[in-house]
Amino acid sequence: MMQQRYMIVLIGGTLASAFFIERLAAGAAAGRLFIPPLSLLAVLAWFPALPLSWRIWLGGGAGFLADSFGDFRFGAAILLMIFLALLTGFFRSIISDRRPLFAKGAIAACLMGSFFLLVPLAAKIAVSISV
Amino acid sequence: MRSRFSIFASIAAILFFALVAVFGASRPASFLRSGAVGIAGPFARAAGRAGVWLGFGAESFSIGRIRALEEEAGRLAAAEARALALEKENESLSQSLGLRTGFGASLKSARVLQYQSSLGRETLVIDLGSDDGAAEGDIVIDEKRLLIGEIREAGIGFSKVAVASNPGITFSGVLVPLGGEVLAKGIGARALVLELIPSDVPVRSGDFVIWTREDQRGNPAVFAGRVAGSVAAGSGTFKTGHAVLLSDPERTDRVMVMSRQ
């Protein structure tokens, strides 16, 4: 129970920090630099260390926040993060965990790459399914 | 037992977020989003302000330079009527009442809750929503009458504004001071591509682009961009150029929303 609370605080702190830094960088760069969605990438970095239900709730919540504040079509980030939460299991099954830290880093990198590849598709799906 | 709970929690999460994503425009989802914007908005705004303070953005385009251009534009037949109207209304530019008088009752004031730039797209969230008459496609300008962008999504109590230089945003414009209609397309990083410039229209670096729309003719001009660089001569009837967005969305605290009449 203590470990769960510790994890929740750590994940919440990471998400809040990434959210803050993303907007700080956006204000500083004033549209002249490419700013990646740091809050979503921070959540993806946590996915390999979390069980499935945690990943879906965390990913859905972060996606909801990104859809509410960002230029994503509403629903796109939510659907994408939930899909990536499920995809984590697939990457876990194909990446060897002989060196756990390296394996988690590799899975996180695969998820981030998948995120950038799937963003346009998620936007189109969100447009077609929204009521 | 624990695994059953975990499976149940996973299914519940998927169903919940799928419903929120599909029914995003419904009242319950809009209230959730309004709540999220209300709670995280001040934090996001503070971060953005800190970024602007730290930042290395270009100096904001001053009212003084706009007035100098308005005086020059007033001498030419193509923009003379608008330039005269601009000259008369210069003194009330910073007053919302004066701006409303110029544009008519369709202009509404809104506060910027946050500015974000992510994946090459800039977005503002403002505190004017569909319940206050904002609608998708409404144009947003700042207090200097510079074009910010258009409303991409209007929720209850808030709206998301896509900055005019975002990829995928297109609008009609008129070149000032020499006239000539153009099609301006956003390509990101505050840059616009000017297309369909008639080949017989001279375009100079430093000329301005005014945003136009059929139902806004006769209203005071909304400056959108400034021509930058040379204009490429096309092989056919039209040529292409580039412009830079004039407004500074990251420094804007208040905006005006122009609804369709």
Side-chain angles (χ1 to χ4, degrees), chain A residues 40-50 55 80-92 94-95 103-119:
Chain A
L40 295 180
L41 297 181
V43 166
L44 289 176
W46 274 106
F47 272 7
L50 299 174
R55 293 200 303 265
L80 185 55
M81 293 302 285
I82 290 176
F83 176 74
L84 291 173
L86 298 169
L87 196 64
T88 306
F90 168 72
F91 286 128
R92 267 186 187 162
I94 62 171
I95 293 176
K104 286 186 170 59
I107 293 168
C110 290
L111 289 171
M112 290 178 193
S114 305
F115 172 84
F116 284 110
L117 287 174
L118 294 173
V119 161

Side-chain angles (χ1 to χ4, degrees), chain B residues 17-28:
Chain B
F17 286 113
L19 285 172
V20 169
V22 169
F23 298 104
S26 66
R27 257 187 191 268

Side-chain angles (χ1 to χ4, degrees), chain A residues 7-123:
Chain A
M7 284 287 280
I8 290 169
V9 168
L10 205 57
I11 294 168
T14 310
L15 185 57
S17 304
F19 187 82
F20 183 87
I21 292 170
E22 189 180 342
R23 273 141 194 84
L24 188 80
R32 291 167 182 83
L33 290 179
F34 177 85
I35 310 289
L38 296 175
S39 48
L40 295 180
L41 297 181
V43 166
L44 289 176
W46 274 106
F47 272 7
L50 299 174
L52 178 63
S53 59
W54 281 58
R55 293 200 303 265
I56 295 175
W57 281 106
L58 179 63
F64 177 78
L65 214 61
D67 280 339
S68 298
F69 282 98
D71 193 47
F72 291 106
R73 175 76 188 191
F74 186 79
I78 294 174
L79 295 174
L80 185 55
M81 293 302 285
I82 290 176
F83 176 74
L84 291 173
L86 298 169
L87 196 64
T88 306
F90 168 72
F91 286 128
R92 267 186 187 162
S93 65
I94 62 171
I95 293 176
S96 166
D97 60 352
R98 272 185 298 176
R99 286 185 289 174
L101 203 60
F102 179 78
K104 286 186 170 59
I107 293 168
C110 290
L111 289 171
M112 290 178 193
S114 305
F115 172 84
F116 284 110
L117 287 174
L118 294 173
V119 161
L121 182 62

Side-chain angles (χ1 to χ4, degrees), chain B residues 79-166:
Chain B
E80 193 171 15
R82 281 185 183 145
L84 285 173
L86 283 173
E87 207 170 346
K88 285 175 191 171
E89 288 168 345
N90 265 346
E91 290 176 5
S92 62
L93 267 175
S94 60
Q95 294 178 20
S96 59
L97 182 58
L99 208 53
R100 286 201 192 100
T101 303
F103 283 91
S106 64
L107 206 63
K108 297 182 184 68
S109 173
R111 190 168 65 95
V112 175
L113 296 175
Q114 75 128 30
Y115 160 83
Q116 179 176 350
S117 171
S118 181
L119 294 176
R121 292 174 180 272
E122 297 173 86
T123 309
L124 294 179
V125 177
I126 61 176
D127 66 352
L128 190 79
S130 54
D131 48 334
D132 289 316
E136 207 171 304
D138 287 350
I139 294 300
V140 177
I141 62 176
D142 67 8
E143 290 167 330
K144 300 176 195 172
R145 210 190 294 128
L146 300 176
L147 179 69
I148 296 273
E150 64 178 28
I151 290 181
R152 180 58 73 91
E153 191 177 350
I156 295 175
F158 72 96
S159 294
K160 282 162 58 172
V161 179
V163 170
S165 57
N166 281 0

